[in-house]
Amino acid sequence: MPRIAVLPGDGIGPEVINEGLKVLNAIESKYGVDFQEDMYPFGGVAIDKTGDPYPAETQAACLKSDAVLLGAVGGPKWDSLPGSKRPEAGLLDLRKSMGVYANLRPAVLYGPLKDSSPLKPEIIGDGLDVLVIRELTGGIYFGQRGREMVEDGYRAYDTEVYSTHEIKRIAKVAFEAAMKRRKKVTSVDKANVLESSRLWRETVEEVAKDYPEVTLEHLYVDNASMQLIKNPHQFDVIVTGNMFGDILSDEVSMLTGSIGMLPSASLRDDKVGIYEPVHGSAPDIAGTRKANPLATILSVAMMLRYSFDMEDAARDIEKAVVSVLEKGYRTSDIMQEGMTLVSTVEMGDLVVKEIRG
Ligand code: IPM
Ligand code: MN
C-alpha cells in the first residue's frame, strides 16, 4: 500500500491538513484505492515534544514514504530560537534529506475569483496561469553561512552557490513542463552582478538547445518582479534559484487573489515528492476557522498527479474546487460582496460533496 507521511506542523497547518485528508479519503472511496496515511511531528510542535524540528522518527518515516503531505511550520513561539534550531530549519532539512530539488508552484487565477486579483481588470484579463519552478535544495539557502566577531560588532555571511549539475537538472524540469504548456521558459537571475547567475544563464542556454520548440527568455530578477505586475500574461514557465523563487512565488501568488489558493509540489527524479500549500502557518488566524484549505486540497491533487499517476482524480479535485467557487462559497481571505462566507471545515465539506457528485 502506498505510504503518505502527513506532517500537519504549526499554526493553521493541522486545520488545513484535516481538510486535505478529508478530500483524499473521498478520492480513495471513489477510485477504490487505499493509501496508508500516518501523522508525524514536525516543526514547532516537534521542537516542543523532542527539541528537534525534524525528529529522527519523522525523518525515518519520510524517507520510507511515497509522498509527504505537509501543512506549515513556524510561529512567534519559536522565533527567538537560534537559526539552526528553528522550525524553518526543519523544513530545509526535510527538503534536503529527501532530495526534492524541483519546487513547482502553479499560480492559477480561477475565473470565479478574477475580481480578487489586485491587478486592474484590463491587466489581469480573464485569468492567469503561470508556473513558477524554484530550485529547492541549493543556492543561498544551503551555501556556507556564518558569523564572526569583528572590532565593532559582527560580520555575517550567506553564500549563493550553484553547480552546473544543479542548474541543468532544474532547467530540464522547466523545459519539460513548458513542452506540455505554452512552450515558453523565462529564466530569472541576476547575471549582471552575480557569478553564480552567469553560470546559471550559460547552463540554461545549453539545456535549451535540446528544446528547439521552446522560446527561452532571460530576465534579471528586479525586472522580472516588475514585469509580473505590468504584464503577467507574458509568462508561462518561470525557472529560477531558491531565493529568487521564494520571493517571486509569493508575488505571483498574490496576482491570483490570495496566497491561500496556491499549492506546491517538490519533486526529484523518481515519483517521490513533498506536497504543501505555499502559504505559511499564519499564527494570527490559527484556531479561528478562517484558514483557506484550498491550497492544501489542491496540493493533494498535485500529489495524486505526480506521485501516484492519478491524473483523473487530480482533475476531479481541481474541478470540484472550481465548482465550489462558482457556487459562490468563499473563505474570508477571498470573500467578496454577495458571496457566502464559509469556515475552513465547511469549505472542505463542500469540496468533498462535489467529488462525491
Ligand atoms: C516557502 C517558505 C520557506 C522558504 C520558509 C518557511 C523557510 O517561505 O516555502 O516559500 O523560504 O522556502
Ligand atoms: Mn516563501
Side-chain angles (χ1 to χ4, degrees):
M1 196 188 303
R3 281 182 215 232
I4 302 172
V6 181
L7 317 180
D10 309 315
I12 60 172
E15 298 163 50
V16 293
I17 283 291
N18 272 339
E19 302 318 304
L21 289 178
K22 227 151 75 180
V23 169
L24 183 60
N25 291 339
I27 291 290
E28 291 182 73
S29 325
K30 184 165 175 178
Y31 288 80
V33 290
D34 214 354
F35 296 112
Q36 184 174 327
E37 300 123 22
D38 296 301
M39 296 217 190
Y40 298 93
F42 184 63
V45 289
I47 295 176
D48 291 350
K49 232 176 130 180
T50 69
D52 183 349
Y54 185 33
E57 177 210 7
T58 303
Q59 177 156 359
C62 289
L63 295 179
K64 272 195 311 212
S65 296
D66 300 289
V68 174
L69 182 63
L70 170 64
V73 297
K77 184 174 173 194
W78 307 282
D79 274 350
S80 51
L81 291 172
S84 62
K85 299 260 184 288
R86 291 173 60 115
E88 290 85 348
L91 183 56
L92 300 192
D93 284 349
L94 168 70
R95 291 169 176 169
K96 192 75 171 177
S97 69
M98 293 195 60
V100 290
Y101 64 88
N103 183 213
L104 273 49
R105 298 186 161 185
V108 176
L109 173 59
Y110 294 98
L113 288 185
K114 68 175 193 230
D115 299 332
S116 316
S117 174
L119 293 186
K120 289 186 191 134
E122 61 266 34
I123 292 179
I124 198 69
D126 279 337
L128 183 73
D129 180 0
V130 174
L131 175 61
V132 178
I133 298 186
R134 167 189 181 194
E135 198 293 323
L136 201 62
T137 53
I140 197 166
Y141 272 58
F142 293 95
Q144 253 195 38
R145 70 178 100 256
R147 189 191 270 241
E148 58 205 31
M149 269 223 254
V150 290
E151 243 167 63
D152 55 348
Y154 291 99
R155 193 177 152 268
Y157 59 94
D158 302 87
T159 326
E160 171 84 337
V161 202
Y162 270 115
S163 65
T164 305
H165 165 72
E166 288 173 301
I167 303 165
K168 245 189 202 159
R169 64 183 184 179
I170 193 74
K172 269 190 201 153
V173 172
F175 284 101
E176 290 292 336
M179 286 297 288
K180 295 188 195 141
R181 295 171 50 100
R182 300 189 302 277
K183 298 195 169 63
K184 179 169 179 193
V185 169
T186 305
S187 172
V188 174
D189 61 37
K190 189 69 186 172
N192 49 348
V193 177
L194 304 177
E195 192 55 30
S196 51
S197 280
R198 288 190 271 270
L199 179 64
W200 180 281
R201 200 173 269 227
E202 285 160 29
T203 310
V204 173
E205 293 274 356
E206 273 308 304
V207 174
K209 290 181 185 155
D210 295 333
Y211 300 89
E213 284 171 63
V214 178
T215 307
L216 169 65
E217 189 178 80
H218 301 280
L219 289 182
Y220 297 138
V221 62
D222 47 352
N223 186 24
S225 72
M226 179 184 75
Q227 295 294 335
L228 274 168
I229 290 176
K230 203 174 150 200
N231 175 17
H233 292 285
Q234 68 184 287
F235 297 99
D236 176 18
V237 174
I238 295 176
V239 64
T240 188
N242 208 340
M243 173 87 132
F244 297 156
D246 178 45
I247 299 167
L248 292 181
S249 61
D250 267 35
E251 184 184 4
V252 176
S253 76
M254 204 52 226
L255 302 181
T256 72
S258 170
I259 196 168
M261 294 294 301
L262 243 80
S264 81
S266 303
L267 306 172
R268 60 189 199 198
D269 293 329
D270 58 14
K271 300 223 163 267
V272 174
I274 303 175
Y275 301 87
E276 54 178 315
V278 171
H279 64 67
S281 57
D284 52 319
I285 60 161
T288 64
R289 301 159 50 89
K290 280 191 188 156
N292 184 347
L294 292 179
T296 304
I297 290 170
L298 292 166
S299 299
V300 169
M302 292 187 89
M303 176 173 79
L304 293 166
R305 171 173 294 129
Y306 293 111
S307 285
F308 301 116
D309 278 324
M310 292 178 66
E311 179 64 28
D312 290 350
R315 292 221 177 138
D316 224 3
I317 295 177
E318 288 158 356
K319 268 203 283 196
V321 167
V322 175
S323 296
V324 168
L325 294 172
E326 270 166 357
K327 290 179 181 165
Y329 296 107
R330 302 284 187 274
T331 43
S332 62
D333 56 316
I334 48 175
M335 184 56 190
Q336 284 168 316
E337 224 182 284
M339 301 292 148
T340 311
L341 183 65
V342 295
S343 69
T344 311
V345 172
E346 287 165 331
M347 186 54 105
D349 289 340
L350 285 161
V351 175
V352 165
K353 208 168 121 201
E354 287 293 332
I355 290 171
R356 294 222 175 101

